[in-house]
Amino acid sequence: PPLVKPIGPRRARVGLLAGCVQQALGPEIALTTVRVLAANGVEVVTPPQQGCCGALALHTGEADRAYDRATALIRAFPPDLDAVVTNAAGCGSAMKEYGHAFAGRAQEDALAAFSSRVRDVSEFLHALGQVPMPPLDEPLVVAYHDACHLSHAQGIRRAPRALLASIPNVRIVDIPDGDICCGSAGLYNVEHPDIADTLGARKARAVATTGADVLTAGNIGCLVQIARHLNAAGTPIPVMHTMVLLDRAIRNAPATGNGQPATG
């Protein structure tokens, strides 16, 4: 919805990037993100005319197309926002780099100003301070995957782990060689599928060694890639966005159901 009011007193007002690929492969991610933010006293504006952020065009070197996307995007968001949040690490990484990527262009200053307000949803919620979480009915072991665009490009590692760890009855486990890419990497899995598959299979084996009940991550490309390779390896661990698990905890819904995005 274009506007969702907070539950209780308003603590912040943000704009949400709806995303492109994610709306098709994981439409529940945006809905759960809005619910989690509202439960934490955040008013959420989702401009219906926002369009694409231009990240995939940047990945393929189409700078002019990316610039057109970016300038259209910043016009869609109202100025009275505390932040512009995104739940897709690839999008957030690109949006935070607008000022650098489009230096010397006509809208450089406006793009840089917009970039300064962009926050990953985990980064924003952790800084805001999450409301107390109800305990899960059963203990849950969660493997958290560091998406490259979140951990390496944006330097965000602690925030999502802290949000997950705030759920009573949740234990976070690290994935061996967690800094190695899962093979999704924007469009890399399309342009270099053989190498991407090798990386994906390696990541799935590493996840399987953790004994986790659920895997979470903050990027749709990683979620699809890892889910596909876990299924191919015969270890179909539920895979879901960090916000999906937080939402299930808030609503006291089963935390191990099928939260996987489409993989076909």
Side-chain angles (χ1 to χ4, degrees):
L3 178 67
V4 173
K5 293 290 187 179
I7 297 172
R10 190 177 86 174
R11 302 171 65 200
R13 172 177 160 89
V14 304
L16 176 67
L17 180 79
C20 302
V21 172
Q22 186 166 270
Q23 288 191 63
L25 298 182
E28 77 286 351
I29 296 173
L31 296 173
T32 55
T33 297
V34 169
R35 287 201 295 259
V36 169
L37 288 170
N40 281 274
V42 181
E43 184 176 78
V44 185
V45 179
T46 308
Q49 72 279 20
Q50 61 184 268
C52 172
C53 71
L56 293 181
L58 279 175
H59 292 169
T60 57
E62 297 186 18
D64 290 341
R65 178 177 291 184
Y67 176 74
D68 291 341
R69 299 291 193 192
T71 52
L73 181 74
I74 67 172
R75 288 194 298 269
F77 283 85
D80 63 334
L81 301 172
D82 297 305
V84 176
V85 301
T86 172
N87 48 27
C91 298
S93 177
M95 292 162 67
K96 286 183 176 181
E97 294 176 353
Y98 279 171
H100 170 73
F102 304 120
R105 295 193 180 235
Q107 297 295 314
E108 175 187 357
D109 291 344
L111 288 162
F114 182 86
S115 288
S116 70
R117 295 193 296 162
V118 174
R119 300 288 184 272
D120 181 78
V121 64
S122 66
E123 173 188 25
F124 174 82
L125 188 54
H126 181 56
L128 180 69
Q130 187 170 225
V131 297
M133 299 288 286
L136 298 181
D137 291 337
E138 300 288 340
L140 189 73
V141 179
V142 178
Y144 176 76
H145 165 70
D146 282 298
C148 293
H149 278 110
L150 196 58
S151 62
H152 299 313
Q154 299 182 58
I156 299 172
R157 294 171 177 265
R158 181 171 178 267
R161 286 178 168 84
L163 294 176
L164 292 168
S166 72
I167 306 172
N169 255 353
V170 162
R171 179 167 65 90
I172 310 299
V173 294
D174 288 327
I175 300 168
D177 296 324
D179 281 340
I180 295 177
C181 180
C182 70
S184 176
L187 287 178
Y188 193 85
N189 56 5
V190 177
E191 297 171 339
H192 303 282
D194 293 344
I195 299 174
D197 279 350
T198 299
L199 289 168
R202 177 176 180 170
K203 182 65 68 174
R205 289 193 298 271
V207 171
T209 68
T210 65
D213 302 309
V214 170
L215 178 133
T216 65
N219 190 55
I220 184 63
C222 301
L223 293 171
V224 171
Q225 170 81 342
I226 297 172
R228 183 168 76 87
H229 285 281
L230 284 170
N231 288 334
T235 52
I237 300 168
V239 173
M240 62 187 69
H241 195 281
T242 306
M243 292 298 118
V244 173
L245 184 54
L246 289 174
D247 175 64
R248 293 187 181 190
I250 290 170
R251 295 186 296 111
N252 197 28
T256 55
N258 182 15
Q260 297 182 181
T263 57

